[in-house]
Amino acid sequence: GDVNSNVLVARSTGDAQLDKAVWQWLSWDKNQKTKEQIESLLQDGKHQELRQRLCCRLTFGTAGLRSAMGAGFCYINDLTVIQSTQGIYKYLERNFSDFKQRGFVVGYDTRGQVTSNCSSKKLAKLTAAVLLAKDVPVYLFSTYVPTPFVPYAVQQLGAVAGVMITASHNRKEDNGYKVYWENGAQITSPHDKEIIKCIEECVEPWNGSWNENLVDTSPLRQDPLKKICDSYMEDLTKICYHRELNVQSSLKFVHTSFHGVGHDYVQLAFKAFGFQPPIPVPEQKDPDPDFSTVKCPNPEEGESVLELSLRLAEKEDARVVVATDPDADRLAVAEQQENGCWKVFTGNELAALFGWWMFSCWKENCSPDADVSNVYMLATTVSSKILRAIALKEGFHFEETLPGFKWIGSRVKNLLDDGKEVLFAFEESIGFMCGTSVLDKDGVSAAVVIAEMATYLQGQNLTLAQKLVDIYETYGYHIAKTSYFLCYDPATIKRIFERLRNLDGPQCYPKCCGVYNILHVRDITTGYDSSQLNHRAVLPVSRSSQMITFTFQNGCVATLRTSGTEPKIKYYAEMCALPGHSDRGVLEEELQKLIEALIENFLEPAKNGLTWRSA
């Protein structure tokens, strides 16, 4: 083995930087499969691919480190997870004098890739091993858990930080490494930059870092599963307001866990609310790293991926389907309508329902002297402004954050520390936070809150869809459309956005888009906002990603941005009408035309070789 490696290294690639990277990989990687991947690329003289795999590193996106599993310094594998954990150890040791008393939480989902001998569970064990070898107490879950269990456990156990090994709803080839801070929220800058620096300072694995047996032998390893699960379910009942209705309810629900972690936990959550357990989709209830019954494991893709659950619901006469994504931090919902068709709600529509519901429940249950101006709801800036409309009418506060739940989590923590009450927060990509037991999106709690809402509405002879119309009639129609184009060439993406920044001359943003006049432009990448007196954006600048928002004269707000986790250019557009201006058809037509103009004039898909997502 090793002699052979040295012979291979002697085969110079003619590139000193690459030679060094190859040598490092072959001398550090102890995973036979990934080591062999690099060896065979070297033997076949595939220097371009070697460069692509070895000459760049993982960086923190909107959800931590995320990449394909496989060999290389910019992929997720045993070695890069060890390196990342060593960096985190270094950073935490500098920041917390009580690190070795308080410890660290590690959770994982059910992903894996046989060809790289890589699985979330194995990566979690290696993460734990690096820390245990340094005498840090580690709370490593003994089985897979929903992502929200990690931030929840960090707060409950008073740990300094935690990691969840997951790539959420990404394609099956991917995995990821999501870091939570002591406040139970995902890390934001500057922590991410500082951690990357620390990772780069100690790339060579330490003695003991590869010793995954430590999780079975070290007295410093504890399994928090029972304690955290019991405590989570107990805390869940704080947002259960109609237990007596739930107990008697005749409504049936179907739940799919998309081959991921959700099944057991959603069953327990329904039980905690007094419901009969939801009917699971048998083909999708058990973990399967290949996600073999869906073309992609993202419940956001709508009816096409919900096929099995909708057919089962029809057979079982269940009117509502809830779908958790593979790591159970997001929720999709479908409801059968009078005509037998299914309505799959968008994230923005669900948020309108949750916002109405969480506020109504607060109002009914608050003490007589409770102050509505102490109450908050939050959304990311690319999400629907429906909560803003509800807040204006009802007297509570609404705030916006940058895209990504990490921004919501940190802001909510600050509001709570300030004595404020936060009822609900969301992002349009079906991420919901009901209550504040978990400072991150949570599909388990959202699923059971939807079930209670549907049960309550049934008592009023209303469906979720009817209530949604009712909310729009009361607070004004908010009609949003979101989709994306795939673009695998970073240079093209950069060119598209740079063109917009200089469309009407150097540093002159566009004043119209086709026939639509633009009122304001906000560019989060550069920190420019034409609506502010000093032209400085209020939200923090985010130079590493592209994001420009246009406010049109007709009341439409549209954002173009790059995805933080996938090779996509996403677009978001919403028409917001005042209450009483509710000709939905007219609004929808106007929005559709504006989106067509936006794509045609600003994204130019034909010229830029963009592929539209196949709906």
Side-chain angles (χ1 to χ4, degrees):
D2 284 350
V3 178
N4 188 20
S5 306
N6 296 339
V7 175
L8 282 170
V9 173
R11 246 184 229 206
S12 170
T13 63
D15 168 342
Q17 188 205 0
L18 184 55
D19 282 352
K20 184 186 175 191
V22 169
W23 180 84
Q24 286 179 330
W25 189 274
L26 296 179
S27 41
W28 294 345
D29 189 10
K30 293 193 177 175
N31 176 328
Q32 242 10 79
K33 292 260 173 84
T34 43
K35 193 171 177 172
E36 281 162 14
Q37 287 172 26
I38 297 298
E39 282 172 350
S40 74
L41 287 171
L42 189 61
Q43 241 156 352
D44 301 344
K46 296 198 170 156
H47 297 168
Q48 195 45 49
E49 187 176 342
L50 278 172
R51 216 167 269 118
Q52 183 252 317
R53 284 180 177 267
L54 295 171
C55 294
C56 61
R57 307 197 68 79
L58 293 168
T59 55
F60 280 94
T62 42
L65 306 171
R66 211 177 267 189
S67 185
M69 291 179 273
F73 290 119
C74 56
Y75 284 67
I76 296 274
N77 50 61
D78 296 4
L79 179 54
T80 53
V81 162
I82 284 173
Q83 292 177 323
S84 303
T85 310
Q86 291 183 170
I88 281 180
Y89 168 79
K90 216 167 171 168
Y91 187 60
L92 292 172
E93 196 194 26
R94 268 180 216 163
N95 278 281
F96 295 98
S97 54
D98 52 0
F99 183 21
K100 291 186 176 174
Q101 284 74 59
R102 291 167 59 188
F104 190 94
V105 175
V106 183
Y108 52 93
D109 69 8
T110 55
R111 287 176 174 262
Q113 186 178 69
V114 177
T115 51
S116 303
N117 184 19
C118 181
S119 70
S120 295
K121 182 168 192 165
K122 185 180 181 204
L123 298 175
K125 284 181 164 183
L126 288 167
T127 302
V130 170
L131 298 167
L132 290 167
K134 288 284 183 190
D135 300 322
V136 175
V138 175
Y139 300 97
L140 169 68
F141 286 100
S142 52
T143 185
Y144 53 83
V145 291
T147 292
F149 272 38
V150 169
Y152 181 74
V154 168
Q155 285 195 291
Q156 287 292 309
L157 301 165
V160 298
V163 158
M164 174 74 187
I165 308 287
T166 180
S168 190
H169 57 282
N170 274 38
R171 55 189 201 131
K172 66 169 187 247
E173 288 79 9
D174 292 353
N175 215 328
Y177 187 96
K178 211 167 184 181
V179 185
Y180 292 89
W181 201 240
E182 63 169 340
N183 61 5
Q186 280 180 65
I187 56 165
T188 51
S189 41
H191 295 312
D192 48 6
K193 313 267 185 304
E194 294 299 321
I195 289 172
I196 291 287
K197 271 191 225 155
C198 289
I199 293 172
E200 280 161 6
E201 285 166 21
C202 41
V203 283
E204 186 170 346
W206 301 328
N207 288 341
S209 285
W210 282 96
N211 185 3
E212 59 181 285
N213 296 335
L214 277 176
V215 301
D216 303 314
T217 57
S218 167
L220 289 171
R221 185 268 162 128
Q222 288 182 53
D223 173 15
L225 183 66
K226 186 172 167 15
K227 180 181 172 172
I228 290 304
C229 197
D230 292 349
S231 164
Y232 173 92
M233 296 302 162
E234 174 68 28
D235 268 346
L236 203 48
T237 58
K238 290 179 187 162
I239 50 172
C240 176
Y241 295 101
H242 298 279
R243 204 190 156 85
E244 66 302 333
L245 293 179
N246 303 345
V247 172
Q248 304 156 16
S249 171
S250 60
L251 256 190
K252 286 161 103 180
F253 300 93
V254 160
H255 170 237
T256 171
S257 40
F258 265 76
H259 299 294
V261 307
H263 173 76
D264 297 338
Y265 302 100
V266 170
Q267 295 273 317
L268 288 169
F270 269 68
K271 198 172 141 193
F273 265 49
F275 283 111
Q276 289 298 305
I279 303 160
V281 176
E283 305 91 328
Q284 296 175 336
K285 97 178 169 61
D286 297 319
D288 166 13
D290 287 324
F291 305 113
S292 45
T293 67
V294 286
K295 75 171 193 320
C296 77
N298 184 356
E300 254 188 298
E301 295 287 333
E303 202 154 341
S304 60
V305 288
L306 294 171
E307 185 66 31
L308 283 171
S309 44
L310 301 183
R311 300 299 79 85
L312 177 66
E314 287 164 0
K315 205 178 90 196
E316 294 281 355
D317 205 21
R319 213 184 63 221
V320 177
V321 168
V322 288
T324 46
D325 72 338
D327 65 330
D329 65 347
R330 304 178 343 143
L331 179 78
V333 179
E335 181 186 53
Q336 195 170 29
Q337 305 304 295
E338 298 294 301
N339 62 4
C341 293
W342 286 90
K343 174 174 173 64
V344 181
F345 294 89
T346 66
N348 286 326
E349 291 173 329
L350 289 173
L353 288 162
F354 279 123
W356 157 75
W357 176 254
M358 296 304 286
F359 184 71
S360 310
C361 293
W362 177 83
K363 220 160 71 174
E364 270 171 44
N365 294 281
C366 65
S367 57
D369 58 343
D371 180 2
V372 70
S373 68
N374 202 41
V375 170
Y376 282 73
M377 291 195 194
L378 289 86
T380 61
T381 180
V382 292
S383 303
S384 170
K385 313 284 181 251
I386 184 66
L387 296 185
R388 184 180 65 190
I390 300 176
L392 279 169
K393 204 160 172 175
E394 302 293 348
F396 61 88
H397 288 273
F398 168 69
E399 279 193 11
E400 278 192 334
T401 70
L402 286 176
F405 234 92
K406 59 183 183 183
W407 299 105
I408 287 185
S410 320
R411 181 62 188 141
V412 168
K413 183 73 176 93
N414 293 343
L415 287 168
L416 295 175
D417 291 346
D418 255 355
K420 310 296 185 201
E421 202 172 344
V422 180
L423 303 183
F424 173 66
F426 87 105
E427 60 182 359
E428 56 72 39
S429 50
I430 59 175
F432 309 105
M433 185 192 94
C434 301
T436 51
S437 293
V438 175
L439 299 183
D440 200 4
K441 52 183 187 265
D442 182 351
V444 178
S445 58
V448 69
V449 169
I450 278 286
E452 181 168 86
M453 191 192 306
T455 302
Y456 170 84
L457 288 171
Q458 191 199 28
Q460 316 223 311
N461 279 324
L462 285 171
T463 63
L464 293 168
Q466 288 164 336
K467 183 67 208 180
L468 180 63
V469 170
D470 185 37
I471 292 167
Y472 286 145
E473 298 283 348
T474 308
Y475 300 106
Y477 271 91
H478 285 61
I479 297 171
K481 265 211 156 58
T482 299
S483 191
Y484 59 82
F485 286 90
L486 291 164
C487 181
Y488 296 96
D489 175 34
T492 301
I493 293 183
K494 199 170 163 63
R495 200 174 61 243
I496 290 171
F497 282 90
E498 281 306 324
R499 174 177 165 264
L500 293 174
R501 294 188 177 106
N502 305 287
L503 199 70
D504 287 359
Q507 274 155 18
C508 282
Y509 292 85
K511 297 181 183 57
C512 61
C513 177
V515 298
Y516 297 98
N517 287 334
I518 292 170
L519 209 53
H520 298 301
V521 178
R522 181 189 64 192
D523 187 339
I524 290 294
T525 312
T526 63
Y528 170 78
D529 185 345
S530 67
S531 72
Q532 298 295 320
L533 281 173
N534 61 0
H535 285 189
R536 302 301 296 264
V538 179
L539 290 173
V541 181
S542 181
R543 293 197 194 288
S544 55
S545 60
Q546 302 280 359
M547 177 165 143
I548 305 179
T549 299
F550 303 94
T551 304
F552 291 88
Q553 221 156 9
N554 66 1
C556 179
V557 178
T559 296
L560 299 175
R561 72 181 273 257
T562 48
S563 163
T565 52
E566 296 160 294
K568 290 174 178 177
I569 299 178
K570 298 184 167 187
Y571 63 85
Y572 307 80
E574 181 172 46
M575 294 290 290
C576 306
L578 294 164
H581 296 253
S582 49
D583 187 339
R584 190 178 175 131
V586 175
L587 289 171
E588 278 178 345
E589 198 178 326
E590 178 93 335
L591 181 65
Q592 193 47 47
K593 284 201 218 139
L594 190 135
I595 287 173
E596 283 163 18
L598 194 72
I599 292 170
E600 178 103 357
N601 293 290
F602 287 1
L603 293 179
E604 307 180 298
K607 183 178 132 188
N608 290 311
L610 309 178
T611 353
W612 195 61
R613 86 163 252 234
S614 50

